Amino acid sequence: MTKEQEPLTSSELATLWVVYEKKTMMVRIIDFFLVHNQDPEARKIFQSFIKGESKFVKELSQIFKQEGAAVPVGFTENDVNHSAPKLYDDIFEVMYLRTMMKIASGIHALHISMSYRKDIMNLYQKFTKYAEAFCEETTQYLLDKGVLPKSPYINLPKHVEFAKTKDYRSGLKLTGHRRPLNAVEVAYLYQTVEANIAGMKLMTGFAQVAKAKDIRQYFFRGKELSKQITKTFSNILMESDINAPATSAGRVTNSTMSPFSDKLMMYNTSLLNSFALGSNAIGTTFSLRKDLPLKMMGTAKDILDFASDGGDLMIEHGLMEEPPQMEDRTQLSKGQNG
């Protein structure tokens, strides 16, 4: 038996399932954006993305079939309404794709480490390269349009310093003021604020168009949570005289007709929750000022509560597709005994 003929491990099956769900969702969303977007450069990016992403979906579907596994439902034409008006302006649609490609880059890199078969590892390497290419392309597009604030510049150090007292960890100086943020701390805080500004606008649109009342309320809660996180971390940046990222670009329209199913929007929100929790964990690890991990852990709890309630809501509405299940050995044994 060659390595490619070996059966999929549970982790390989799990990651392929997760990626299939995500990629079918992205095809539906970007296809809707392409129909309505008026900017030639953005349309070119979307056309290229859909071509590659659709090819990947077919490739994943073929793997499931070859392995004798059921192909997930994922997201289909039933999850998009092409006759609905635009929900976001042209600029935000590119901002959205950039955010999702940042998430995809991280997910695929993680999935490589969870794979054993060479063909599956090669697949994730290809996915990672693809996501990174579109992250770069969308970033350059937004920079060229002058709508993507860069993280702040810093005077480059001329020599290396070592922390001499525990005050560096506490962040407090003898004067009672906190020490300025270091470059690593600024980087993670800045990215958190940037991500939540985009998330706030996404949730605003979802809240306007969701069909079920409790799901609309959930998205409104998500918008308020993003605003709260943005305010908390922006204030920390401002304490060190650092301007928080801000842009007037990326607008939500007045449409109340949903282009997407509640299922698709809830799943998209779940993905963003997972990304936010992962980013908070990394930020906590690399923040050396003790007050920062405490704030990040408080934020993580709020996100976890929000994510948990979202999972319950998806189940209540029958919107959650179950991942492949491990065998219930206890139940099998009972059946055999019977």
Side-chain angles (χ1 to χ4, degrees):
M1 180 182 289
T2 66
K3 288 187 178 297
E4 284 74 14
Q5 291 173 324
E6 292 176 358
L8 293 171
T9 65
S10 56
S11 59
E12 288 165 341
L13 178 59
T15 58
L16 290 170
W17 185 90
V18 167
V19 172
Y20 187 88
E21 297 283 314
K22 183 182 72 64
K23 288 189 178 298
T24 53
M25 180 196 75
M26 289 302 299
V27 167
R28 300 305 163 196
I29 291 177
I30 302 303
D31 187 44
F32 177 82
F33 288 172
L34 178 60
V35 170
H36 297 274
N37 198 291
Q38 300 299 311
D39 184 271
E41 293 177 68
R43 289 180 57 80
K44 184 177 178 181
I45 293 172
F46 293 158
Q47 286 169 343
S48 178
F49 176 81
I50 291 171
K51 182 179 179 181
E53 198 79 337
S54 298
K55 181 180 177 183
F56 291 151
V57 167
K58 290 179 181 177
E59 196 170 348
L60 288 165
S61 179
Q62 191 61 33
I63 291 173
F64 285 115
K65 292 175 182 177
Q66 288 174 350
E67 298 296 327
V71 179
V73 174
F75 297 91
T76 69
E77 281 290 343
N78 294 330
D79 293 295
V80 62
N81 177 13
H82 286 291
S83 64
K86 280 175 70 69
L87 185 55
Y88 305 100
D89 69 7
D90 292 352
I91 292 293
F92 181 81
E93 291 175 348
V94 180
M95 288 179 171
Y96 170 84
L97 180 57
R98 177 175 179 266
T99 298
M100 296 306 296
M101 290 302 95
K102 290 166 70 174
I103 294 174
S105 296
I107 289 176
H108 297 324
L110 175 63
H111 287 173
I112 291 173
S113 69
M114 297 168 67
S115 302
Y116 305 92
R117 265 175 40 176
K118 188 173 181 181
D119 61 325
I120 303 300
M121 296 182 77
N122 289 340
L123 184 69
Y124 286 127
Q125 288 171 345
K126 183 166 60 176
F127 290 169
T128 302
K129 185 177 179 181
Y130 185 80
E132 289 173 347
F134 276 95
C135 185
E136 179 183 351
E137 192 167 355
T138 52
T139 297
Q140 195 56 56
Y141 169 93
L142 295 169
L143 288 173
D144 290 344
K145 296 289 185 182
V147 296
L148 182 63
K150 293 181 180 180
S151 56
Y153 292 99
I154 186 173
N155 292 321
L156 300 181
K158 303 302 181 185
H159 55 275
V160 176
E161 291 280 358
F162 284 82
K164 297 178 177 63
T165 69
K166 293 181 180 179
D167 289 345
Y168 188 83
R169 291 282 286 125
S170 70
L172 290 173
K173 295 183 176 180
L174 293 176
T175 58
H177 296 296
R178 295 197 181 278
R179 69 159 171 79
L181 299 167
N182 62 41
V184 176
E185 292 161 346
V186 170
Y188 286 105
L189 289 169
Y190 201 87
Q191 290 303 310
T192 297
V193 174
E194 180 187 277
N196 276 278
I197 290 174
M200 179 180 64
K201 293 178 181 180
L202 187 71
M203 292 297 100
T204 299
F206 285 179
Q208 285 180 194
V209 299
K211 293 181 175 62
K213 182 179 179 180
D214 51 355
I215 291 179
R216 287 199 303 273
Q217 292 171 339
Y218 180 74
F219 290 140
F220 181 81
R221 179 181 161 194
K223 180 186 75 170
E224 293 302 308
L225 178 58
S226 290
K227 285 169 65 175
Q228 174 192 319
I229 295 171
T230 298
K231 182 179 179 180
T232 297
F233 291 114
S234 293
N235 287 341
I236 296 172
L237 289 169
M238 290 296 290
E239 287 172 2
S240 288
D241 299 319
I242 299 167
N243 291 329
T247 176
S248 59
R251 183 177 58 86
V252 184
T253 71
N254 292 327
S255 175
T256 56
M257 181 185 296
S258 183
F260 310 119
S261 67
D262 286 359
K263 174 190 170 187
L264 184 149
M265 293 188 291
M266 286 295 293
Y267 178 77
N268 198 165
T269 305
S270 175
L271 269 181
L272 293 173
N273 289 335
S274 299
F275 175 67
L277 287 169
S279 297
N280 262 276
I282 295 172
T284 299
T285 302
F286 287 100
S287 294
L288 298 178
R289 225 175 69 176
K290 289 183 179 179
D291 61 309
L292 300 181
L294 290 174
K295 284 187 169 64
M296 290 175 180
M297 285 188 287
T299 295
K301 182 184 182 303
D302 292 340
I303 297 170
L304 186 59
D305 290 342
F306 178 68
S308 177
D309 291 344
D312 290 343
L313 199 55
M314 290 177 76
I315 291 173
E316 288 173 20
H317 286 268
L319 305 178
M320 181 178 288
E321 183 177 354
E322 290 187 11
Q325 303 292 311
M326 298 298 287
E327 296 87 350
D328 187 337
R329 298 296 177 181
T330 302
Q331 192 62 38
L332 288 172
S333 298
K334 288 180 179 179
Q336 186 69 26
N337 293 335

